[in-house]
Structure formats: C-alpha cells, structure tokens
Amino acid sequence: MDDNGHDAGTTPSASEDTDGPAVGRFAGSDDQKEPTVADVLAAVEELWPESLAEGWDAVGLVAGRATTRVPRILFAVDPTAAVLDEALEWGAAMIVSHHPLLLKPVSSVAASGFKGEVLHRLIESGCALVTVHTNGDSAVGGVSDVLADALGLRDVRPLAEAANGLPEEGIGRVGDLETAVPLGAFAEAVFSILPAVAGGVRVAGDRDALVRRIAVCGGAGDSLLGRVRASRADVFVTADLRHHPALEAREAAGQAGPFLIDVSHFGSEWLWLTPAADALGNVLADHGFTTDIRVSGVNTDPWDFVLTPGR
C-alpha cells in the first residue's frame, strides 16, 4: 500500500523495462528538469491511481515511449483530431485526455480510420497520449468533486464508493447546499458554471421546489439513479440522461425529488481539466521537474445547434 492507502501493485520500474512506462516511481535524475513520459506517468498514478478505474475501462498510456522528454502537456476531454492539431501546433509532447481513444478492442489501427489516423499521427510526431478516465472520476479532487465544489456543496461523499479506494473515493458525489434554493435558481447556477454548448441544460421538476441535497456525476450518470434515491438527494446533476431511466425516475418520485438536471457530457467533465492540470504540475514540481501544462481550447461537444419550441 502507498502513503495514500492505495495498492501499489506490481507495476514495473524503469530498470525493469526501458521501453515501458515506469508507473509508480520517478525515473528522472536529480539534475533533470524536464520530466520523461515515465515521470509524468508516475505523477498521474500518484493523483489518479489505475486501481480506481472501473473494470471495463481503458486507462493509462496509449501511445508514447517512457524515455521521451515532455516539455509541454495538453489536457483535453477528448483525444480528437482537432485536439491533436492544437497539441502539435503548440509543440506538446503529451496529451492527457479524460476519454479513451481505444475503449473497445480493435483488430486494426490502420490510418484509413479516424482513430487509426490519430494514433499514427501521435506516434509519428512523438506525442504521447495518456488516458485518465474513471480513475479521474473516482479519485479525490476528481471530476465529480470539482463539479460539487463549483456548486458549493458541503459534507460531500461518494454516491458509489470505490471498490479499491479510500472511503472518500468513488463515482459521483452527494452533498448539501448551505441553504435551500428553488430548483429553477439552482438550475441557472448549474448553467452559469458550464461552458456554452448547443444543448444547454434540461431540467425535470417543479421550478419553484426547494432543493438542498444535491447529487452530481460528471459524464453519463443514469446508472446511479438508484443510489441517488437512496441518498435522499433533492436533485441529480449529470449528463446523457436517457428517456426511459429519466421518465421512470420521475414517475417513481411523483411530485417529490430527486429532480433531474441533464447537462452536456463534455461540459460536466471540462470543469475538471484546469484543476487536474494544476495538480499534475504541482506534483511534478514537487519532484523537481518543470513542464508547461495547458488546457485545450477545443470544444469537443458533438452538437452544433438545437431547435426548441418558439425558435
């Protein structure tokens, strides 16, 4: 177990594999200023341990050589072609993306497909790609913690505790506002902290109902609706709420909560990028490394415009 209570596992050190990632330790020499890919991976593991990732997930190093120096790192929600364009134009040697490029098994990475093209360009340009997905959701200071902090929640705890983590780690968060507010006013506060996207914010519930206990989950969270009900939350803020789970949740609740606020998947996770970039920079600095870290300016929300009644 490491100092944070996580199982350190049996990840290889730099001396064990000169080409593979030296996850879990810093391989750089004392006089080295720029970190290597291996050094950044060690810092990533310190902040967002792979042991916190869900079993179906694909996190960690996707492309890159452990010994490559990393003077610049770009954080992004999605590893799209536009994000890669931005990274290469800036001279980044690594992209840290929240969403995986290769979540499902593939039989080919030929450049004839868009994912293969991205992978080829990463390798040919010497730019590493690291995925921090559900481990970044679950860890302290992760996606849902940032969302909870932005909404001013207190006494925050996980909606679903991590199987391999600390009590404060897990998927989703639930906490309380300092005072109860009308659902409509709270929804406006949610809208105000998120980046502008075509889909806006959708709300299910009585605009004037008072809400105080708030459940949040960055990204798609309708699988947590049962835990939201058990937490006695007045409202649930998440993304990608599907018709049937949302309808059934509201039918079961009647006129009471939990009410639902459906936001952009991209937007709910975008909030995490700046705190995550700052955290990684701080860990690297603590180990004597200097690197330039930037958050991507590319909006990877897939929707371009929306039609609503009267517009």
Side-chain angles (χ1 to χ4, degrees):
M1 304 289 282
D2 66 14
D3 293 340
N4 293 321
H6 301 112
D7 187 351
T10 58
T11 50
S13 68
S15 61
E16 293 170 327
D17 184 352
T18 57
D19 290 324
V23 178
R25 59 166 294 184
F26 288 84
S29 62
D30 292 339
D31 61 351
Q32 179 181 330
K33 294 302 182 182
E34 289 180 354
T36 64
V37 167
D39 295 320
V40 178
L41 288 175
V44 166
E45 178 68 12
E46 187 173 318
L47 291 165
W48 310 292
E50 287 196 18
S51 61
L52 292 178
E54 298 294 302
W56 51 263
D57 204 1
V59 303
L61 188 64
V62 179
R65 193 178 296 277
T67 54
T68 299
R69 296 290 183 91
V70 184
R72 291 180 175 179
I73 301 171
L74 184 72
F75 268 74
V77 174
D78 298 286
T80 62
V83 167
L84 180 54
D85 289 342
E86 178 188 20
L88 297 183
E89 182 177 347
W90 180 49
M94 176 182 286
I95 297 170
V96 177
S97 71
H98 183 55
H99 290 146
L101 177 66
L102 302 172
L103 180 59
K104 297 180 180 180
V106 297
S107 58
S108 171
V109 292
S112 55
F114 71 93
K115 291 189 177 184
E117 173 66 17
V118 167
L119 193 56
H120 275 71
R121 291 179 63 201
L122 285 166
I123 295 170
E124 291 163 359
S125 64
C127 182
L129 173 62
V130 177
T131 297
V132 179
H133 193 207
T134 51
N135 48 330
D137 291 326
S138 185
V140 173
V143 172
S144 291
D145 266 336
V146 170
L147 186 55
D149 288 345
L151 292 172
L153 303 189
R154 306 185 303 174
D155 302 322
V156 173
R157 58 183 175 81
L159 275 172
E161 289 187 8
N164 300 311
L166 303 172
E168 60 269 30
E169 294 173 323
I171 302 298
R173 297 292 187 268
V174 61
D176 297 314
L177 297 171
E178 186 173 354
T179 58
V181 298
L183 175 62
F186 178 71
E188 290 175 4
V190 172
F191 178 81
S192 72
I193 66 172
L194 297 176
V197 296
V201 170
R202 300 187 300 175
V203 184
D206 180 353
R207 182 186 292 269
D208 297 321
L210 293 179
V211 299
R212 185 174 185 185
R213 175 157 291 181
I214 312 298
V216 301
C217 180
D222 59 21
S223 64
L224 294 173
L225 282 167
R227 291 183 179 271
V228 171
R229 287 190 292 271
S231 74
R232 298 186 180 279
D234 298 314
V235 61
F236 183 32
V237 181
T238 191
D240 296 346
L241 283 171
R242 294 169 295 165
H243 173 83
H244 293 295
L247 182 62
E248 290 172 6
R250 292 303 304 134
E251 286 288 296
Q255 298 303 310
F259 304 119
L260 304 175
I261 298 181
D262 187 36
V263 302
S264 158
H265 191 128
F266 160 80
S268 69
E269 297 172 329
W270 176 86
L271 291 175
W272 171 76
L273 297 181
T274 296
D278 290 342
L280 182 62
N282 289 337
V283 171
L284 289 171
D286 287 345
H287 289 276
F289 299 114
T290 57
T291 188
D292 195 0
I293 304 178
R294 176 186 293 184
V295 171
S296 172
V298 177
N299 182 338
T300 55
D301 186 272
W303 305 109
D304 295 313
F305 64 91
V306 63
L307 302 178
T308 58
R311 299 188 67 179

